[in-house]
Amino acid sequence: MRNLKLIIQREYLARVRNKTFIIMTFLSPLILVGMFALIAYLSMLNSSEQRIIGLYDETEMFSSEFNDQEQVQYLDLSGKSLEEAKKMVNEQDYYGLIYIPENINRDLEGVQFFGKESPGLGTIQAIEKTIADRLTREELIERGIDVNQLNEAKTEVRIEIQNFSGERTSKMSNYIKMFFGGAAGYLLMMFIIIYGNMVMRSVIEEKTNRIIEIIVSSVKPITLMMGKVLGTSLAGITQFTIWVLLAGVLAITSFYVLGIDVFTVQKSQLETVEQIAQPEIAQLVMDVLNLPILSLIIFFLIYFIGGYFLYSAIYAAIGAAVDSETDTQQFMFPVILPLMLGIYVGFFSVIENPHGSVSTIFSMIPLTSPIVMLMRIPFGVPWWELAISVGLLIITNFGVIWLAAKIYRVGILMYGKKASYKELFKWLKY
């Protein structure tokens, strides 16, 4: 037990005292925020680019339909010939030219867009909608339908969503849950890969330097492996805790600026927000506050520890079985595959139906449950499903650690021979 404590302490201090670890712990949140800010800025910069689109309308019906917008200016070139219009657009470096033939039908056949490059999907959809709306109005008039009365008869229905306890939510609530659940699952996957690779590289480094021969003379291989896993795990939890605290400080500061008391959120708080923001934004803020943030953080730590132990034991076994990091490639795909499967199941199944059979099954399978279950938690998961999922993860951990220890015990002193899957199965029998 004393040896295990010393190994854990050594591995932990080796991680947290590393300059890169310290810098990235405090710099990563800033880099993440900066990345999102840069993406938003580039999106705004791209959308603010002024575009001039020529219009050649042989029907003389659509000139008044294409109105100038903030980013798009339409230039009517119907008075010229088509070739002259195309030449002008090309020489003036306009965004493109819309050609509407005289014999256009309701299928929009014959309409063409000329340009040096393919236009964006949004631009094409806007052009098609503008032409289709005008043709629809003309068709209704030909059938003797009063378009004005039809427009006046249109009504909009806004459904107010509430649960049976009277708690109000919005249509954006599912997107918010999807974002938080997806972010938690993806973050967990990255943690497992990053810290699992740390364990594997540490084992390979000690094996390559032959330090391991001295260490195992006084420490059991299983104790050494568990010390590496636990020490690196504690370093990861330390880093995550610092990130949560930094995020909490930023969130509380933001809510304080908006005048929201995060500790006593009541309906009156919503009224306070509505005074400085639109009702939709106020409801969006309330949806975020109503998320099970505490449960998400607690179970993130639980699944991080469980998932990390599970995969780190595998990473440690792989590190012991090879002589260099290059040799690990043949074993990495089966390790990464369940993590990637968990991400894909989460984004394509949990988001669509968080309580469906596929989502439920994959949130129980230990190799995928740390990711999939975290994506389900914001949507509400019964306690018994959480208990089964965590229980299966713990049981699987013991089994995988036991198997990994058998490979580690043999492979840690094996040199000059490339291990294969057949060789690993033999080691399990020793």
Side-chain angles (χ1 to χ4, degrees):
M1 191 67 184
R2 181 176 177 274
N3 289 334
L4 178 61
K5 182 180 178 181
L6 289 173
I7 295 170
I8 293 172
Q9 184 178 0
R10 174 184 174 275
E11 292 293 327
Y12 177 77
L13 293 177
R15 299 285 176 268
V16 299
R17 287 178 177 175
N18 187 287
K19 289 183 179 180
T20 304
F21 181 91
I22 296 171
I23 292 172
M24 294 308 297
T25 297
F26 294 96
L27 197 61
S28 292
L30 298 178
I31 292 175
L32 188 63
V33 172
M35 183 182 68
F36 281 115
L38 179 62
I39 293 172
Y41 172 74
L42 293 176
S43 299
M44 291 174 59
L45 192 65
N46 184 58
S47 62
S48 63
E49 181 183 349
Q50 186 68 29
R51 300 170 182 172
I52 300 177
I53 299 177
L55 175 65
Y56 191 86
D57 180 18
E58 292 182 350
T59 65
E60 299 181 356
M61 292 171 49
F62 301 94
S63 300
S64 59
E65 300 296 324
F66 289 92
N67 299 317
D68 293 343
Q69 300 174 4
E70 187 176 349
Q71 289 86 27
V72 181
Q73 178 183 348
Y74 294 98
L75 185 63
D76 191 1
L77 304 177
S78 302
K80 304 177 181 292
S81 68
L82 179 59
E83 292 302 320
E84 289 177 341
K86 290 166 67 176
K87 183 179 179 181
M88 179 180 175
V89 169
N90 188 29
E91 291 178 350
Q92 297 294 327
D93 201 25
Y94 292 160
Y95 188 71
L97 174 68
I98 304 170
Y99 169 62
I100 304 176
E102 187 175 359
N103 59 345
I104 184 175
N105 56 32
R106 283 184 294 172
D107 296 328
L108 302 185
E109 292 183 359
V111 178
Q112 298 180 44
F113 185 94
F114 299 97
K116 292 182 179 180
E117 299 176 355
S118 298
L121 180 61
T123 302
I124 290 296
Q125 289 178 338
I127 294 171
E128 290 176 342
K129 185 178 184 303
T130 301
I131 299 174
D133 287 348
R134 177 58 190 267
L135 291 176
T136 300
R137 289 201 303 271
E138 292 296 325
E139 182 69 21
L140 291 174
I141 291 172
E142 287 182 8
R143 296 186 182 189
I145 299 173
D146 192 331
V147 179
N148 292 328
Q149 289 186 359
L150 187 64
N151 291 332
E152 291 174 359
K154 289 182 179 179
T155 58
E156 292 185 3
V157 177
R158 293 185 179 180
I159 299 177
E160 183 178 311
I161 305 171
Q162 292 188 12
N163 58 23
F164 289 108
S165 61
E167 186 177 306
R168 189 173 56 167
T169 184
S170 68
K171 291 182 288 187
M172 288 295 295
S173 177
N174 282 345
Y175 293 102
I176 295 170
K177 293 173 182 177
M178 174 186 71
F179 172 78
F180 277 86
Y186 186 79
L187 187 63
L188 181 62
M189 184 193 73
M190 295 306 298
F191 265 126
I192 290 174
I193 293 175
I194 291 170
Y195 289 107
N197 273 287
M198 282 186 182
V199 172
M200 184 178 68
R201 283 195 295 268
S202 176
V203 174
I204 294 173
E205 182 181 353
E206 290 181 352
K207 182 179 177 180
T208 305
N209 295 335
R210 301 297 177 95
I211 300 173
I212 200 71
E213 295 178 0
I214 301 172
I215 297 175
V216 295
S217 64
S218 56
V219 179
K220 292 182 180 179
I222 180 63
T223 305
L224 180 60
M225 188 188 80
M226 289 304 299
K228 286 183 176 295
V229 172
L230 287 168
T232 310
S233 175
L234 290 174
I237 293 172
T238 300
Q239 191 172 57
F240 175 72
T241 303
I242 294 173
W243 286 352
V244 169
L245 292 175
L246 289 175
V249 170
L250 291 174
I252 291 174
T253 303
S254 302
F255 291 139
Y256 178 76
V257 172
L258 292 174
I260 306 173
D261 185 355
V262 294
F263 299 104
T264 56
V265 177
Q266 303 292 338
K267 290 184 178 180
S268 59
Q269 297 293 334
L270 179 59
E271 297 174 359
T272 304
V273 179
E274 287 178 344
Q275 293 175 1
I276 59 174
Q278 296 179 358
E280 292 82 3
I281 298 176
Q283 186 59 55
L284 192 66
V285 173
M286 292 303 294
D287 286 337
V288 173
L289 294 176
N290 287 332
L291 285 173
I293 299 295
L294 183 60
S295 296
L296 198 58
I297 293 173
I298 291 172
F299 279 101
F300 182 93
L301 287 172
I302 291 173
Y303 280 108
F304 169 74
I305 295 170
Y308 169 77
F309 267 66
L310 183 67
Y311 281 95
S312 286
I314 299 173
Y315 275 107
I318 293 173
V322 300
D323 292 333
S324 66
E325 197 166 343
T326 306
D327 297 335
T328 63
Q329 301 306 313
Q330 60 176 322
F331 301 110
M332 292 310 297
F333 180 72
V335 179
I336 299 297
L337 184 61
L339 294 172
M340 297 302 298
L341 184 62
I343 288 292
Y344 283 116
V345 168
F347 280 110
F348 293 103
S349 180
V350 173
I351 291 170
E352 180 66 26
N353 186 6
H355 304 294
S357 57
V358 174
S359 303
T360 303
I361 290 172
F362 277 89
S363 66
M364 299 295 173
I365 299 173
L367 290 172
T368 57
S369 63
I371 295 172
V372 179
M373 184 59 84
L374 280 178
M375 292 187 176
R376 290 186 62 205
I377 287 174
F379 295 92
V381 180
W383 67 268
W384 60 269
E385 289 189 11
L386 286 168
I388 293 174
S389 178
V390 173
L392 289 174
L393 183 60
I394 293 172
I395 294 170
T396 306
N397 259 285
F398 283 109
V400 170
I401 290 173
W402 179 73
L403 292 174
K406 293 176 77 67
I407 295 174
Y408 188 92
R409 179 169 57 99
V410 179
I412 201 68
L413 296 174
M414 192 76 69
Y415 299 99
K417 183 180 180 181
K418 285 190 175 182
S420 62
Y421 286 104
K422 184 178 180 181
E423 197 74 21
L424 295 182
F425 282 118
K426 285 183 180 178
W427 295 355
L428 291 175
K429 298 176 182 178
Y430 293 161

